[in-house]
Amino acid sequence: MPFSRRRFLAGAGLAGTAVLLDPPLPALAGTPPANAPPANASASGIIRRKVGSVEVTALLDGYMDVGPDLLVGADDAQAAALAGAAFQEPGPRRIPVNAYLVDLGDRKVLVDTGTSTGMGPTLGRVPALLEAAGASPERIDTVLITHMHPDHVNGALTPEGGPLFPNADLVVTGADHAFWHDDANLARAPAGARPFFLGARAAAAAYAGRLRLIEGEGEAVGPIRAVPLPGHTPGHAGFMVLSDGEGLFIWADTVHVAAYQFAQPEWGLAFDVDPQQAARTRKRALDRAAADRVLVAGMHLPFPGFGHVAREGAAYRFVPAEWDYGS
Ligand SMILES: [Zn+2]
């Protein structure tokens, strides 16, 4: 009989494990389920670290579950084996949605914005976390958007649809802006993808006059450079933060499901606009991160999402960074 956490907690399996739990652990019975909201949502989900003289704060907007039906090019048996290797059951993978506040000293830059209220109660915490982190939305000078999917750009809006960041420029790649504003793409899109287009357009419209489009590799703001990572969306981009000889590569959605895609970088997600290009880009980014030994951060890497990439033959492994306890 395979050992499972569910059976472990269900009681039926406790007889067999009693010897391991002698004395029993009474706290187990009272432990809230993993998906219960934290007691103080605004006090958790904030982790800071220094990159040179720049302070980077990871913000946990929340989480979503990625069902097996959303994987592209995946093999069920291999997925089950990778889930087992990650001490997880086969089935949906729970992934975080992260955003990053980059404090340049003279400017506060937010990289992606989370989801606002549009994607359900497990998400939408970025505004409260910004307040708790001492960077209320009106203090943000620049919002960099890695791509215009709802879990990245919808948080630029208030629940009423206005701009949440009244003093910020919104910076988006020209390629992504063009893709989501192309009526032919909207007409071709399946019904389920229509809200993606409408969300992207609503965000751009709310920042009319303060919208800045960037192209290719180059300066986004101050020492933060854009790195094109096309495939997931046509204008999907990462941002490289460079300061005092240190670097942080915020690679956006290069990896969605860490338990699978470091081992199987060919596997994509149904949300990839071009899955083949996304896979090529993912492997190139993984190669570069491993070869350069650069610190990475990702919007769906296990929170806070800071870590390194190790090469293992044709595959890769994510090595979470130690917390920067001093900051
Ligand atoms: Zn995403």
Side-chain angles (χ1 to χ4, degrees), residues 54 56 63 83 97 205 249 265:
V54 171
V56 180
Y63 66 82
V97 174
F249 180 25

Side-chain angles (χ1 to χ4, degrees), residues 49 295-296 304-308 318-324:
R49 70 177 303 122
L295 182 69
V296 303
F306 297 119
H308 290 87
F318 181 59
V319 183
E322 289 184 341
W323 285 18
D324 187 354

Side-chain angles (χ1 to χ4, degrees), residues 39 41 62 112 140 220 236 238 253 256-257 270 275 299 304-305:
D112 285 352
I140 302 296
H236 180 242
D253 282 16
H256 289 91
V257 184
M299 278 52 186

Side-chain angles (χ1 to χ4, degrees), residues 91-102:
R93 299 271 65 86
R94 180 156 290 178
I95 66 171
V97 174
N98 306 326
Y100 295 91
L101 172 66
V102 183

Side-chain angles (χ1 to χ4, degrees), residues 240 242 247-249 285 288-296 307-309:
M240 183 73 81
L242 296 168
L248 171 68
F249 180 25
R288 178 171 166 185
D292 293 354
R293 302 179 68 82
V294 67
L295 182 69
V296 303
H308 290 87
V309 178

Side-chain angles (χ1 to χ4, degrees), residues 178-280:
F179 178 80
W180 298 107
H181 284 78
D182 184 327
D183 287 335
N185 291 337
L186 175 58
R188 267 198 296 274
R194 276 185 69 85
F196 289 25
F197 286 83
L198 303 181
R201 292 173 182 208
Y207 289 83
R210 291 185 283 134
L211 184 70
R212 182 156 61 87
L213 302 183
I214 54 173
E215 305 285 351
E217 192 148 355
E219 183 185 325
V221 56
I224 306 176
R225 299 177 66 80
V227 180
L229 299 168
H232 178 51
T233 65
H236 180 242
F239 293 101
M240 183 73 81
V241 181
L242 296 168
S243 174
D244 295 344
E246 293 185 27
L248 171 68
F249 180 25
I250 303 177
W251 73 14
D253 282 16
T254 293
V255 168
H256 289 91
V257 184
Y260 295 157
Q261 288 176 300
F262 284 97
Q264 296 285 351
E266 297 280 347
W267 295 3
L269 224 64
F271 304 116
D272 294 335
V273 172
D274 182 338
Q276 273 107 38
Q277 187 185 34
R280 285 196 301 275

Side-chain angles (χ1 to χ4, degrees), residues 159-185:
E160 296 74 36
L164 178 67
F165 304 100
N167 301 309
D169 293 338
L170 190 77
V171 179
V172 179
T173 67
D176 236 49
H177 184 271
F179 178 80
W180 298 107
H181 284 78
D182 184 327
D183 287 335
N185 291 337

